[in-house]
Amino acid sequence: MNINLHIERIILDGWQLNEHERGRLQQTLMDSLTTILRDGSLSPALLNSTHLSSLSGNTRNLSGSNDSVALGDQLAQGLGNALMTQTQFHERGNEQ
């Protein structure tokens, strides 16, 4: 199975990352999410959906560290969990 995932925007209120840290966060998020999705199972609800307008991962308890690698791992865990366990998704164009 091929999975194409495009993340347009991640909002991190209160985090100040410079350009280098943003690059490290992006690479770590991509690598970690790839591993999580390769080793896990997608939610059955997602198997029939192709475009999602939004997805919320449980990332409220992010570490207070400014370590962009640790932050990327934590974000990947939250998003990966959401992709594997959520039962309802709002497809683009069907927002209510």
Side-chain angles (χ1 to χ4, degrees):
M1 174 190 316
N2 289 328
I3 300 171
N4 293 309
L5 179 64
H6 172 78
I7 299 174
E8 184 173 317
R9 177 176 56 167
I10 295 176
I11 300 170
L12 299 171
D13 289 330
W15 291 82
Q16 300 296 321
L17 300 174
N18 64 37
E19 185 176 337
H20 175 72
E21 292 167 327
R22 283 192 303 272
R24 288 179 57 200
L25 179 132
Q26 181 179 4
Q27 187 63 50
T28 301
L29 178 59
M30 184 174 64
D31 293 346
S32 296
L33 207 47
T34 297
T35 299
I36 290 166
L37 294 176
R38 181 185 62 226
D39 296 343
S41 315
L42 288 175
S43 166
L46 185 59
L47 294 176
N48 297 322
S49 297
T50 56
H51 294 93
L52 304 176
S53 62
S54 66
L55 178 66
S56 178
N58 183 10
T59 54
R60 289 182 194 93
N61 298 318
L62 293 174
S63 140
S65 166
N66 274 343
D67 179 0
S68 54
V69 171
L71 181 58
D73 281 334
Q74 291 175 43
L75 288 170
Q77 288 292 325
L79 293 173
N81 185 56
L83 289 168
M84 291 186 282
T85 62
Q86 289 197 4
T87 58
Q88 292 184 344
F89 295 93
H90 299 286
E91 293 185 42
R92 181 176 292 160
N94 293 333
E95 293 90 0
Q96 297 182 27

